[in-house]
Amino acid sequence: MKKTILTGLRVNSELTLGNYLGALLPMVRLANKYSEKYNVNIFIPDLHSIISNIDGSLKENTLRSIKYYLAAGLKLNENVHLYRQSRVPAHAELTWILNCIATMGEMGRMIQYKEKSEGKESANVGIFDYPVLMAADILLYDASFVPVGEDQFQHIELTRNLAERFNHRFGDTFTIPEDTKTQVKFMGADTGIRIRDLQNPEKKMSKSTPGENSKIMLSDDPDRAAKKIMSATTDSLEKIDFNLETQPGISNLLQIEALVNDVPLGEVIREWAGKTRYGDLKKQVSLSVSNLLISFQKRLAEISDDRVENLLPEGEKYANAVANAKLAEVYEKVGLR
Ligand code: ATP
Ligand code: MG
C-alpha cells in the first residue's frame, strides 16, 4: 500500500514569513519530492477554522489556503489530493467514535487547549475537542507522515494513542502515524524551524503579534517588507555569526537568507564569516525577501478562485471514497453495522 503524507493549514488570517518558511514551504518541498511514490493529501481544515473567530469570509479564506500552496510551488499530479474537510462528512463522524474512546484526562492535558481556553468557562467545546477531529483527519487516510510545527507534536502523540487503543480494542484498523522524531527526520530537519520576531528576536515571529514591524506578512508591499528588515533589531557585537543566544537578530537574518534562497545555512554562515557590516547583511536579506514577495504575490494573483474550485471536486471524490471505506470498517468493528 502506498504511504500517505497529510497536511492541513488553517488560514483564518494572512500568513507571516515565519508561517511560509516554517510550515508552507517545507510541506510543498516534501510534496514535490515524494508525490511520485506517496499519496499527498492536502486539505483545508475548514471545520477547525470555526473554533476561533473568523476575520473576513470563511469561503474566501479557505480558497486562499489552497492558493498559497500553489503559489509556493506545489506541483500537481494524480497522487496529490486537495479537498475541503467539511465536504468529507466522515471526518465529523469518526470524530464522534473517537470521542468515545478518548478520555477527559488526556484531553485536559493538551497544552494548546490550556493556552487557547485560558481556563475560561466560556471557551467553546470545539477548542477542547479539536485534537480528536485532528486524529480523525489523519486516521481516516492511514497517513504515516503529518508534517507539523513543534506546537502540534502533542496532538500527533494523542492520535497515535487513540489509534493504538482502537486497534487494541477492536482489532487492527488504523495505521499508526510515525512518531514525531521520525516525522522531523522525514522533513529533512534536526529540529523545527523558528523564524524570529524582527523587533524582539528572542521571541518567534507570530501573526498575532500586534507590532507591524515585528513581522512580515505575505501580503506586505515588498518595499515595505525590505524596510522592516533594514530596521530589524540586531546587537552591538560587530561580527556576523550564527548564535541564537548572543546574536538572535543576526542569526535570524542568516536563517531567513538561507531558507529564502534554498541554500544550506552553513553555506550562508561561511559566506558572511569575518564580515562586520550589519547594513550589508540587512541589504542582502531585504533584497532576498522582497524578491520572494514579488514572485509569490505575482503567482498568487494569477491563481483564480475558479481554478481552485475546479480542482477540488476530484480531490473530494477521492477523499470521500477513501474515508468512507475506513469509516465503514470502523462502524462494523464497533458494532454499528
Ligand atoms: P498565532 O500567533 O495565531 O499562533 P502563528 O504565526 O504562530 O499564529 P500558527 O497558525 O500557530 O501561526 O501556525 C501555523 C504553522 O506555522 C504551524 O505549523 C507552525 O508551527 C508554523 N509557524 C508559526 N510561526 C512560525 C515561525 N515563527 N517560524 C517557523 N514556523 C512557524
Ligand atoms: Mg501559533
Side-chain angles (χ1 to χ4, degrees), residues 94-110 128-129 131-133 135 158-159 161-163 165-166 169-170:
L94 181 60
T95 298
W96 182 252
I97 308 273
L98 295 177
N99 272 340
C100 299
I101 67 161
T103 68
M104 296 293 289
E106 67 189 338
M107 295 301 291
R109 284 193 290 275
M110 294 295 123
F128 180 69
D129 197 36
V132 177
L133 175 59
L158 173 77
T159 302
N161 289 338
L162 293 179
R165 199 173 306 155
F166 189 97
R169 219 176 274 179
F170 301 104

Side-chain angles (χ1 to χ4, degrees), residues 7-24 112 116 147-152 192-197 203-209 252 259:
T7 192
L9 185 61
R10 220 159 64 99
V11 184
N12 284 36
S13 63
E14 290 283 347
L15 297 186
T16 67
L17 183 69
N19 301 137
Y20 180 86
L21 296 175
L24 191 62
Q112 289 282 307
K116 286 193 195 289
V148 287
E150 233 168 54
D151 46 333
Q152 295 294 324
I193 293 163
R194 183 175 281 253
I195 301 300
R196 306 304 177 107
D197 181 302
K203 295 195 312 183
K204 83 167 190 73
M205 186 184 286
S206 286
K207 53 177 130 69
S208 55
T209 305
N252 192 38
L259 289 168

Side-chain angles (χ1 to χ4, degrees), residues 19-142:
N19 301 137
Y20 180 86
L21 296 175
L24 191 62
L25 198 58
M27 180 56 203
V28 167
R29 288 189 177 143
L30 218 49
N32 289 347
K33 183 167 169 197
Y34 289 108
S35 68
E36 288 300 323
K37 56 175 184 159
Y38 289 0
N39 282 312
V40 175
N41 288 17
I42 295 181
F43 72 101
I44 306 176
D46 51 356
L47 294 175
H48 285 288
S49 290
I50 58 174
I51 66 168
S52 48
N53 284 337
I54 292 145
D55 54 359
S57 147
L58 184 57
K59 177 162 182 275
E60 209 173 277
N61 286 352
T62 56
L63 291 181
R64 196 173 58 202
S65 121
I66 292 293
K67 288 185 188 176
Y68 277 153
Y69 285 102
L70 297 174
L74 176 72
K75 292 198 191 86
L76 300 175
N77 67 24
E78 72 282 0
N79 292 334
V80 178
H81 311 288
L82 306 172
Y83 53 95
R84 284 163 287 199
Q85 184 187 35
S86 66
R87 305 294 169 125
V88 187
H91 289 243
E93 292 182 68
L94 181 60
T95 298
W96 182 252
I97 308 273
L98 295 177
N99 272 340
C100 299
I101 67 161
T103 68
M104 296 293 289
E106 67 189 338
M107 295 301 291
R109 284 193 290 275
M110 294 295 123
I111 294 159
Q112 289 282 307
Y113 157 66
K114 287 191 219 166
E115 281 180 7
K116 286 193 195 289
S117 68
E118 295 169 335
K120 285 189 199 129
E121 288 263 316
S122 58
N124 70 59
V125 177
I127 288 179
F128 180 69
D129 197 36
Y130 88 91
V132 177
L133 175 59
M134 185 167 158
D137 298 335
I138 296 166
L139 298 178
L140 277 173
Y141 303 91
D142 287 313

Side-chain angles (χ1 to χ4, degrees), residues 6 15 31 67 75 99 102 114 134 136 148 157 167 184 197 199 223 239 253 260 263 301 308 311:
L6 178 142
L15 297 186
K67 288 185 188 176
K75 292 198 191 86
N99 272 340
K114 287 191 219 166
M134 185 167 158
V148 287
E157 287 306 327
N167 287 354
V184 168
D197 181 302
Q199 293 299 313
D223 290 338
K239 59 170 186 173
L253 294 177
V260 168
V263 225
V308 177
L311 285 172

Side-chain angles (χ1 to χ4, degrees), residues 209-275:
T209 305
E212 263 309 300
N213 286 331
S214 286
K215 56 191 179 183
I216 288 177
M217 306 307 293
L218 294 180
S219 55
D220 272 355
D221 172 73
D223 290 338
R224 170 110 183 74
K227 288 203 182 88
K228 290 183 187 179
I229 300 271
M230 292 307 293
S231 66
T233 301
T234 51
D235 54 64
S236 50
L237 295 179
E238 290 182 26
K239 59 170 186 173
I240 298 179
D241 197 7
F242 189 85
N243 186 328
L244 287 167
E245 295 299 316
T246 56
Q247 300 193 273
I250 289 294
S251 303
N252 192 38
L253 294 177
L254 292 168
Q255 173 78 274
I256 293 173
E257 177 67 7
L259 289 168
V260 168
N261 296 302
D262 195 16
V263 225
L265 178 61
E267 210 169 285
V268 176
I269 295 172
R270 274 196 300 281
E271 188 191 328
W272 289 89
K275 297 187 179 141

